[in-house]
Amino acid sequence: MAFPLTVNGVKHIQAAPLGVICMDSFKEQGKKVDERLLKLYTQIDPEALPNKETFMINAKCPRFQNGDAKGIINESVRGLDLYIVSDVGNYNCQYNMFGQTVPMSPDDHWADIKRIIQAASGKAYRITVVMPNMYGARQHRRAFRESLDCAYALQELQAMGVDGVITFDAHDPRVCNAIPLMGFDNLMPSYQILKALVEHQPDLKLDKENFMVVSPDEGAISRNVFYASELGVDMGMYYKRRDYSTIVDGHNPIVAHEFLGSDLQGKDVFVYDDMIASGESMLDLAYDLKSRGARRLFAGCTYSLFTKGIEKFQKAYEEGVISAVISTNLTYLRPELRMAPWFYEADLTKYIAYFIAAMNHDVSVGQFLDPHKKIQKLLDEHRDSRKETQLDLFD
């Protein structure tokens, strides 16, 4: 059954019937994506889904006791526009190996994605891999005699017949140069992050006098320039001085953070990066910004990993150093993080569903890649609500 989607007066027909395989690593978010898709396709054609209960395809990757695995698809995928969704960073997924419980690593998740692609046996009309947290993304370039994991992973997908990859906030989007003839969509959760911030902090004054954006390092400049430009506020940045003669936990340790920017006194500060891993760099910045007179600090990131736990962030919150961390649900969030009073979660499942629907109908995705209009509308509503609150208080 075809679902015609009308965009700007132009009717688009499905490229092929839609099917979604959601790996165990993304099951919780996948249910929401499926619900969004069902609701959306019902709105597109109310009479086309009389007996349709899900777009999800039943698939799994069972393991043998020695750790070997295989991919199984339990229903036909012939002729489907197939989307395989996986969170390669979900360490909460586990399996038994020689009587021991083993958490799944990114390598395990990556191998399972390839197993499911093999199980499809080339029968799908089109295969798109949705990896919000791109596999090997932090190993995106070669500085010495070292591997190029991300580039090679993309080339593997291309060799297996995958038509495209969808990811979010790639560590370095230039890695798409490894696959110039394959689709590579790098989405940014800019609107959803900002929406979560203003919803939880309605008293924010988003103007030059009261608000400032700060980039945590030179690598995150483009992300923070975007926010500063949209908000019309000043931007500062930090330069990370590293010790390149030493390697600790896989990277060169930071010697000092050098700040470049205007006066922070009395201003709320927003710092955005693609991920918070151990969180040590973000905490160093937070304490330094506070010492420079910043009023409140809001840390934003696409992926909140917290590899060393949340205790230090909890302490910083109690000391008034950090006011909030805003992050997406694109990767696994540990329960204690979700319950923390300083953590704001931005839900991206609606965005993923809408993007899949657009791809399924071969609609231009430019509107999804440029959230300018949605952000400006959000800011206008936020400013109007502040005016109403001030008038109510005055009355």
Side-chain angles (χ1 to χ4, degrees):
M1 181 68 71
F3 297 84
L5 176 62
T6 302
V7 180
N8 297 327
V10 179
K11 184 175 288 187
H12 298 263
I13 304 299
Q14 277 182 293
L18 175 63
V20 180
I21 293 179
C22 195
M23 308 296 284
D24 287 341
S25 58
F26 208 71
K27 283 295 184 186
E28 181 183 343
Q29 302 95 316
K31 290 178 181 177
K32 294 182 180 179
V33 171
D34 190 38
E35 290 170 1
R36 297 280 190 182
L37 285 170
L38 286 169
K39 182 178 180 180
L40 177 61
Y41 278 68
T42 301
Q43 291 173 345
I44 293 172
D45 189 347
E47 299 180 358
L49 284 174
N51 300 311
K52 190 76 171 177
E53 296 180 355
T54 180
F55 284 109
M56 292 294 172
I57 302 298
N58 188 350
K60 59 183 178 180
C61 290
R63 290 186 177 266
F64 301 98
Q65 288 299 308
N66 69 338
D68 285 343
K70 61 179 178 181
I72 302 174
I73 300 177
N74 292 311
E75 53 189 289
S76 174
V77 296
R78 188 180 295 274
L80 294 185
D81 186 13
L82 189 62
Y83 293 81
I84 302 172
V85 191
S86 176
D87 172 17
V88 299
N90 190 342
Y91 61 90
N92 191 50
C93 292
Q94 302 172 335
Y95 62 91
N96 290 320
M97 178 175 170
F98 291 100
Q100 301 180 57
T101 301
V102 182
M104 290 184 69
S105 71
D107 290 343
D108 292 320
H109 289 298
W110 171 242
D112 280 354
I113 291 171
K114 293 188 288 184
R115 291 182 177 110
I116 293 299
I117 295 171
Q118 292 175 61
S121 304
K123 299 301 189 293
Y125 169 78
R126 181 170 64 187
I127 295 179
T128 302
V129 174
V130 184
M131 264 190 297
N133 190 0
M134 185 68 200
Y135 173 74
R138 299 176 78 178
Q139 190 51 34
H140 59 99
R141 63 183 177 183
R142 176 176 286 158
F144 195 59
R145 291 189 294 274
E146 54 188 353
S147 59
L148 286 170
D149 295 32
C150 193
Y152 189 71
L154 291 172
Q155 290 179 352
E156 276 191 287
L157 292 179
Q158 186 175 42
M160 296 180 77
V162 171
D163 294 271
V165 171
I166 299 173
T167 190
F168 281 80
D169 198 358
H171 195 65
D172 188 343
R174 291 174 296 182
V175 75
C176 70
N177 293 333
I179 47 161
L181 300 181
M182 190 174 87
F184 184 91
D185 290 294
N186 179 42
L187 311 182
M188 297 295 292
S190 309
Y191 166 73
Q192 290 81 3
I193 291 288
L194 193 59
K195 182 181 178 182
L197 175 60
V198 298
E199 283 182 348
H200 285 88
Q201 296 289 336
D203 64 326
L204 276 176
K205 297 179 181 179
L206 301 175
D207 53 47
K208 281 188 176 182
E209 291 72 31
N210 298 284
F211 198 81
M212 187 171 177
V213 175
V214 173
S215 176
D217 54 38
E218 58 275 19
I221 286 180
S222 60
R223 298 178 180 92
N224 288 277
V225 164
F226 175 82
Y227 278 114
S229 300
E230 290 292 323
L231 296 172
V233 299
D234 292 333
M235 194 192 91
M237 71 161 288
Y238 276 92
Y239 163 65
K240 290 180 179 178
R241 191 149 48 88
R242 295 181 179 272
D243 179 5
Y244 287 98
S245 64
T246 308
I247 295 180
V248 178
D249 294 334
H251 60 80
N252 305 106
I254 299 169
V255 177
H257 292 89
E258 307 291 349
F259 179 71
L260 305 172
S262 57
D263 185 23
L264 294 164
Q265 190 67 42
K267 293 184 178 180
D268 290 330
V269 177
F270 179 64
V271 181
Y272 191 80
D273 208 351
D274 61 336
M275 70 174 64
I276 293 179
S278 67
E280 292 177 353
S281 293
M282 188 64 75
L283 285 173
D284 288 344
L285 264 61
Y287 281 98
D288 187 68
L289 288 167
K290 202 67 177 178
S291 70
R292 295 175 184 273
R295 179 170 172 249
R296 292 180 296 182
L297 172 68
F298 301 99
C301 67
T302 306
Y303 304 104
S304 48
L305 308 182
F306 289 92
T307 56
K308 293 187 177 181
I310 68 170
E311 291 76 15
K312 290 183 178 179
F313 274 79
Q314 181 65 34
K315 180 183 177 183
Y317 170 73
E318 292 170 356
E319 294 174 349
V321 176
I322 286 183
S323 295
V325 173
I326 310 97
S327 185
T328 73
N329 59 347
L330 291 171
T331 193
Y332 173 70
L333 301 172
R334 56 177 69 201
E336 62 269 27
L337 176 61
R338 276 184 158 166
M339 294 175 63
W342 43 268
F343 183 75
Y344 305 158
E345 181 178 336
D347 185 9
L348 268 291
T349 55
K350 182 179 179 180
Y351 192 13
I352 293 174
Y354 276 37
F355 199 86
I356 288 176
M359 296 277 285
N360 182 229
H361 287 81
D362 285 337
V363 174
S364 172
V365 296
Q367 58 184 318
F368 293 92
L369 300 175
D370 183 11
H372 172 74
K373 290 182 179 179
K374 295 184 73 174
I375 289 178
Q376 290 308 311
K377 181 181 178 182
L378 174 69
L379 294 177
D380 290 341
E381 291 174 351
H382 174 67
R383 286 160 184 155
D384 289 343
S385 67
R386 278 193 52 78
K387 289 178 182 177
E388 291 174 6
T389 301
Q390 290 169 359
L391 287 173
D392 289 344
L393 288 174
F394 181 76
D395 293 340

mmCIF file of all heavy atoms in Angstrom, residues 240-257:
data_model
loop_
_atom_site.group_PDB
_atom_site.id
_atom_site.type_symbol
_atom_site.label_atom_id
_atom_site.label_comp_id
_atom_site.label_asym_id
_atom_site.label_seq_id
_atom_site.Cartn_x
_atom_site.Cartn_y
_atom_site.Cartn_z
ATOM 1 N N LYS A 240 42.627 24.073 24.170
ATOM 2 C CA LYS A 240 43.172 23.001 25.010
ATOM 3 C C LYS A 240 44.666 22.837 24.750
ATOM 4 O O LYS A 240 45.070 22.448 23.657
ATOM 5 C CB LYS A 240 42.456 21.673 24.728
ATOM 6 C CG LYS A 240 41.018 21.619 25.204
ATOM 7 C CD LYS A 240 40.395 20.270 24.887
ATOM 8 C CE LYS A 240 38.952 20.188 25.368
ATOM 9 N NZ LYS A 240 38.322 18.892 25.029
ATOM 10 N N ARG A 241 45.466 23.146 25.763
ATOM 11 C CA ARG A 241 46.914 22.926 25.650
ATOM 12 C C ARG A 241 47.211 21.516 26.134
ATOM 13 O O ARG A 241 46.971 21.177 27.290
ATOM 14 C CB ARG A 241 47.658 23.975 26.480
ATOM 15 C CG ARG A 241 49.142 24.014 26.241
ATOM 16 C CD ARG A 241 49.691 25.438 26.441
ATOM 17 N NE ARG A 241 49.230 26.045 27.669
ATOM 18 C CZ ARG A 241 49.849 25.904 28.844
ATOM 19 N NH1 ARG A 241 50.934 25.160 28.940
ATOM 20 N NH2 ARG A 241 49.384 26.497 29.918
ATOM 21 N N ARG A 242 47.700 20.662 25.223
ATOM 22 C CA ARG A 242 47.904 19.246 25.532
ATOM 23 C C ARG A 242 49.384 18.888 25.622
ATOM 24 O O ARG A 242 50.245 19.582 25.064
ATOM 25 C CB ARG A 242 47.250 18.363 24.460
ATOM 26 C CG ARG A 242 45.732 18.471 24.401
ATOM 27 C CD ARG A 242 45.167 17.553 23.327
ATOM 28 N NE ARG A 242 43.703 17.605 23.240
ATOM 29 C CZ ARG A 242 42.898 16.845 23.947
ATOM 30 N NH1 ARG A 242 43.391 15.946 24.782
ATOM 31 N NH2 ARG A 242 41.584 16.936 23.807
ATOM 32 N N ASP A 243 49.642 17.779 26.302
ATOM 33 C CA ASP A 243 50.992 17.210 26.375
ATOM 34 C C ASP A 243 51.079 16.102 25.325
ATOM 35 O O ASP A 243 50.618 14.981 25.540
ATOM 36 C CB ASP A 243 51.245 16.643 27.774
ATOM 37 C CG ASP A 243 52.640 16.007 27.891
ATOM 38 O OD1 ASP A 243 53.412 16.096 26.920
ATOM 39 O OD2 ASP A 243 52.927 15.417 28.948
ATOM 40 N N TYR A 244 51.653 16.429 24.170
ATOM 41 C CA TYR A 244 51.686 15.476 23.065
ATOM 42 C C TYR A 244 52.801 14.440 23.199
ATOM 43 O O TYR A 244 52.955 13.583 22.332
ATOM 44 C CB TYR A 244 51.810 16.217 21.734
ATOM 45 C CG TYR A 244 50.531 16.922 21.343
ATOM 46 C CD1 TYR A 244 50.360 18.280 21.593
ATOM 47 C CD2 TYR A 244 49.486 16.227 20.750
ATOM 48 C CE1 TYR A 244 49.179 18.932 21.255
ATOM 49 C CE2 TYR A 244 48.300 16.865 20.408
ATOM 50 C CZ TYR A 244 48.156 18.214 20.659
ATOM 51 O OH TYR A 244 46.984 18.850 20.334
ATOM 52 N N SER A 245 53.543 14.499 24.282
ATOM 53 C CA SER A 245 54.589 13.497 24.507
ATOM 54 C C SER A 245 54.068 12.304 25.306
ATOM 55 O O SER A 245 54.780 11.322 25.509
ATOM 56 C CB SER A 245 55.773 14.132 25.256
ATOM 57 O OG SER A 245 55.379 14.552 26.555
ATOM 58 N N THR A 246 52.801 12.400 25.774
ATOM 59 C CA THR A 246 52.229 11.361 26.633
ATOM 60 C C THR A 246 50.853 10.958 26.139
ATOM 61 O O THR A 246 50.104 11.789 25.599
ATOM 62 C CB THR A 246 52.106 11.880 28.083
ATOM 63 O OG1 THR A 246 53.368 12.395 28.510
ATOM 64 C CG2 THR A 246 51.666 10.763 29.022
ATOM 65 N N ILE A 247 50.505 9.686 26.313
ATOM 66 C CA ILE A 247 49.173 9.191 25.975
ATOM 67 C C ILE A 247 48.569 8.543 27.213
ATOM 68 O O ILE A 247 49.170 7.641 27.801
ATOM 69 C CB ILE A 247 49.208 8.174 24.824
ATOM 70 C CG1 ILE A 247 49.692 8.844 23.529
ATOM 71 C CG2 ILE A 247 47.820 7.564 24.615
ATOM 72 C CD1 ILE A 247 49.762 7.908 22.349
ATOM 73 N N VAL A 248 47.411 9.039 27.632
ATOM 74 C CA VAL A 248 46.694 8.505 28.791
ATOM 75 C C VAL A 248 45.267 8.181 28.368
ATOM 76 O O VAL A 248 44.562 9.042 27.836
ATOM 77 C CB VAL A 248 46.690 9.517 29.963
ATOM 78 C CG1 VAL A 248 45.904 8.959 31.136
ATOM 79 C CG2 VAL A 248 48.109 9.865 30.376
ATOM 80 N N ASP A 249 44.834 6.934 28.599
ATOM 81 C CA ASP A 249 43.495 6.492 28.218
ATOM 82 C C ASP A 249 43.201 6.766 26.746
ATOM 83 O O ASP A 249 42.086 7.159 26.360
ATOM 84 C CB ASP A 249 42.421 7.169 29.088
ATOM 85 C CG ASP A 249 42.500 6.731 30.540
ATOM 86 O OD1 ASP A 249 42.994 5.620 30.786
ATOM 87 O OD2 ASP A 249 42.078 7.515 31.413
ATOM 88 N N GLY A 250 44.226 6.608 25.906
ATOM 89 C CA GLY A 250 44.022 6.713 24.462
ATOM 90 C C GLY A 250 44.161 8.100 23.878
ATOM 91 O O GLY A 250 44.033 8.283 22.663
ATOM 92 N N HIS A 251 44.412 9.115 24.716
ATOM 93 C CA HIS A 251 44.569 10.460 24.161
ATOM 94 C C HIS A 251 45.621 11.244 24.928
ATOM 95 O O HIS A 251 46.048 10.851 26.012
ATOM 96 C CB HIS A 251 43.235 11.215 24.169
ATOM 97 C CG HIS A 251 42.640 11.393 25.543
ATOM 98 N ND1 HIS A 251 43.057 12.376 26.413
ATOM 99 C CD2 HIS A 251 41.669 10.712 26.201
ATOM 100 C CE1 HIS A 251 42.379 12.293 27.547
ATOM 101 N NE2 HIS A 251 41.513 11.284 27.437
ATOM 102 N N ASN A 252 46.026 12.360 24.335
ATOM 103 C CA ASN A 252 47.023 13.215 24.976
ATOM 104 C C ASN A 252 46.375 14.034 26.081
ATOM 105 O O ASN A 252 45.360 14.708 25.847
ATOM 106 C CB ASN A 252 47.663 14.158 23.955
ATOM 107 C CG ASN A 252 48.270 13.417 22.771
ATOM 108 O OD1 ASN A 252 47.727 13.426 21.680
ATOM 109 N ND2 ASN A 252 49.405 12.787 23.011
ATOM 110 N N PRO A 253 46.923 13.987 27.302
ATOM 111 C CA PRO A 253 46.304 14.702 28.423
ATOM 112 C C PRO A 253 46.343 16.220 28.242
ATOM 113 O O PRO A 253 47.258 16.760 27.622
ATOM 114 C CB PRO A 253 47.154 14.268 29.625
ATOM 115 C CG PRO A 253 48.461 13.855 29.048
ATOM 116 C CD PRO A 253 48.147 13.270 27.701
ATOM 117 N N ILE A 254 45.316 16.876 28.796
ATOM 118 C CA ILE A 254 45.224 18.334 28.705
ATOM 119 C C ILE A 254 46.025 18.967 29.834
ATOM 120 O O ILE A 254 45.841 18.634 31.000
ATOM 121 C CB ILE A 254 43.753 18.777 28.778
ATOM 122 C CG1 ILE A 254 42.960 18.178 27.601
ATOM 123 C CG2 ILE A 254 43.638 20.296 28.785
ATOM 124 C CD1 ILE A 254 41.460 18.337 27.735
ATOM 125 N N VAL A 255 46.918 19.878 29.476
ATOM 126 C CA VAL A 255 47.736 20.578 30.460
ATOM 127 C C VAL A 255 46.970 21.760 31.055
ATOM 128 O O VAL A 255 46.997 21.996 32.263
ATOM 129 C CB VAL A 255 49.053 21.069 29.826
ATOM 130 C CG1 VAL A 255 49.881 21.861 30.838
ATOM 131 C CG2 VAL A 255 49.859 19.888 29.284
ATOM 132 N N ALA A 256 46.295 22.505 30.191
ATOM 133 C CA ALA A 256 45.549 23.676 30.667
ATOM 134 C C ALA A 256 44.507 24.084 29.639
ATOM 135 O O ALA A 256 44.618 23.763 28.451
ATOM 136 C CB ALA A 256 46.496 24.839 30.937
ATOM 137 N N HIS A 257 43.449 24.781 30.104
ATOM 138 C CA HIS A 257 42.438 25.360 29.230
ATOM 139 C C HIS A 257 42.649 26.872 29.198
ATOM 140 O O HIS A 257 42.581 27.528 30.239
ATOM 141 C CB HIS A 257 41.024 25.052 29.735
ATOM 142 C CG HIS A 257 40.639 23.616 29.636
ATOM 143 N ND1 HIS A 257 40.884 22.702 30.629
ATOM 144 C CD2 HIS A 257 40.019 22.927 28.635
ATOM 145 C CE1 HIS A 257 40.422 21.510 30.261
ATOM 146 N NE2 HIS A 257 39.900 21.624 29.068
#
